[in-house]
Amino acid sequence: MKKAGTLIVSLDFELFWGMQDGWALDSYRDHVLGGRQAIPKMLALFRKHGVHATWATVGFMFAKNDEELRRFFPDWQQMPTYSNPALSAYRCLDGAGIAGADAACYYAPELIREIADTPGMEIASHTFSHFYCREDGQTVAQFEADLEAAKRIAQEKGYMLRSIVLPRNQCEPAYTQILEKLGFESYRDEENDWIHEKIRIRPLMRLLRLADVYLPLTGQGGYTPGIEHGVVNLTGSRMYKPFFEPLKMLEKLKVRRIKRQMLHAAKLGLTFHLWWHPHNVGVHTDFHMAQLEEIFSYYEQLKAQYGMRSMNMHEAAQEILKGN
């Protein structure tokens, strides 16, 4: 009997911690706060269509304030030593720290609980401090200390972290071994296509990746997951790209591209992994919800016609690990 296809959905849940190295808060606040407000709408959409999802959550966000967060810091000798200090999310706590209305852009313990209480949702890790594994200056030992802190704060709040999404999907074999050591079952690797493998000129890579959102430059994105160093690699297939004003006339092509990739996976019994950030849908939210409604309604058609399943990363990894 042919194996059924699988739809995996994961979200990089990071609030402003994941944007602090490239944006000023005043310039991105509407996206972050809009993303928070969109989450109940996304949860309702997931419940309506029977879609399961993994929420890869930055560990800092489990805290209710600066004081609580500092209790979980790694030893100062094991904090990330990026050559570019702007990459470190710890710098947001310098000076007066985070207080008042800005706290909603950084901390979300009640929202995490709302997500966890929704059937089919998994609370996973996006590292403790939005740690970058390929940036100059950091070390494997610092990465391990970061993940240990992520597991400590999550455990205190009542969550067991089994899956992880690494910021910018950055990973190396030595880091994958740390994932296994610390008990993670799965991670989401970056897309496995010729653009990522062969193009080294960053502006050209970004241009080609943008074109691939609308046109089938890299094929269908379906795959059979493998195990690396004891950890299941649930590679990302497609990022759901938010509305982009200069290319608004191509929005129908974007959704059609995703649906064709889903169909390919459903027919051949492959895995298709769709992902995005909540802040991606923090503006033009109703437009994005309508598109996601169309995508997940199509999933229900594929479920009825081909037996496609929806799984979060933990569920998919468990099936694969038990089969091995």
Side-chain angles (χ1 to χ4, degrees):
M1 182 179 295
K2 181 173 72 70
K3 183 177 180 293
T6 302
L7 171 67
I8 298 176
V9 171
S10 62
L11 297 99
D12 298 15
F13 189 24
E14 56 193 33
L15 296 180
F16 193 62
W17 297 114
M19 305 302 294
Q20 62 79 33
D21 55 326
W23 292 78
L25 180 57
D26 286 345
S27 299
Y28 208 73
R29 183 181 279 104
D30 57 342
H31 289 74
V32 176
L33 296 181
R36 285 187 70 120
Q37 294 170 1
I39 286 173
K41 297 178 182 179
M42 284 189 276
L43 293 176
L45 203 58
F46 292 149
R47 286 193 299 267
K48 177 180 178 180
H49 296 287
V51 172
H52 293 195
T54 290
W55 296 73
T57 308
V58 170
F60 282 12
M61 292 164 48
F62 288 93
K64 60 186 178 183
N65 53 38
D66 294 8
E67 182 181 4
E68 183 178 36
L69 176 57
R70 291 180 189 278
R71 292 199 293 110
F72 296 92
F73 279 8
D75 185 275
W76 68 271
Q77 294 176 315
Q78 292 297 348
M79 290 189 181
T81 51
Y82 303 114
S83 299
N84 176 7
L87 295 174
S88 177
Y90 288 95
R91 73 191 186 104
C92 297
L93 300 162
D94 293 342
I98 299 163
D102 285 349
C105 295
Y106 296 91
Y107 300 120
E110 297 86 2
L111 193 51
I112 294 170
R113 175 52 59 191
E114 182 179 351
I115 294 167
D117 287 343
T118 301
M121 301 299 108
E122 175 195 12
I123 301 299
S125 181
H126 201 36
T127 72
F128 182 60
S129 66
H130 205 261
F131 192 101
Y132 296 118
C133 296
R134 292 182 188 155
E135 302 302 327
D136 291 341
Q138 54 76 36
T139 69
V140 176
Q142 291 168 359
F143 175 67
E144 182 172 357
D146 184 275
L147 293 194
E148 288 173 339
K151 293 181 78 74
R152 283 197 306 273
I153 194 169
Q155 185 172 11
E156 178 155 309
K157 299 292 183 173
Y159 308 103
M160 181 178 294
L161 303 179
R162 302 180 180 93
S163 308
I164 187 167
V165 172
L166 298 168
R168 298 180 183 169
N169 293 316
Q170 293 182 355
C171 197
E172 297 293 341
Y175 294 77
T176 309
Q177 294 175 38
I178 297 299
L179 300 183
E180 181 189 25
K181 177 181 177 181
L182 296 183
F184 287 97
E185 298 171 345
S186 67
Y187 80 105
R188 190 188 76 208
D189 201 2
E190 66 183 355
E191 287 88 340
N192 182 20
D193 57 53
W194 65 266
I195 294 176
H196 288 80
E197 291 179 357
K198 296 183 179 180
I199 305 301
R200 294 293 176 263
I201 303 171
R202 189 162 183 80
L204 177 59
M205 176 186 287
R206 295 185 67 175
L207 179 62
L208 290 171
R209 287 175 62 184
L210 177 61
D212 190 49
V213 169
Y214 309 100
L215 303 170
L217 299 186
T218 60
Q220 300 302 335
Y223 64 95
T224 299
I227 301 175
E228 301 173 0
H229 304 292
V231 182
V232 180
N233 182 349
L234 297 173
T235 303
S237 302
R238 169 69 48 204
M239 178 186 174
Y240 169 69
K241 186 172 179 60
F243 177 80
F244 185 46
E245 178 70 33
L247 297 179
K248 61 183 179 181
M249 74 293 294
L250 301 180
E251 285 296 312
K252 289 185 178 180
L253 287 180
K254 178 184 77 176
V255 174
R256 186 171 71 178
R257 173 97 166 100
I258 291 172
K259 290 166 69 173
R260 286 185 172 179
Q261 290 183 288
M262 291 168 62
L263 174 62
H264 177 79
K267 283 183 173 180
L268 298 184
L270 302 174
T271 293
F272 179 76
H273 191 159
L274 182 68
W275 64 277
W276 68 93
H277 306 74
H279 59 73
N280 293 146
V281 300
V283 295
H284 305 295
T285 299
D286 290 342
F287 177 86
H288 292 119
M289 291 302 109
Q291 283 194 336
L292 291 172
E293 175 94 54
E294 180 179 349
I295 290 167
F296 295 138
S297 294
Y298 188 64
Y299 155 70
E300 289 196 277
Q301 295 179 36
L302 297 178
K303 179 181 178 181
Q305 186 171 359
Y306 299 103
M308 195 176 204
R309 301 96 42 86
S310 172
M311 293 179 141
N312 60 43
M313 290 176 65
H314 170 60
E315 293 165 338
Q318 282 289 294
E319 180 176 272
I320 294 163
L321 291 169
K322 289 176 180 177
N324 285 268

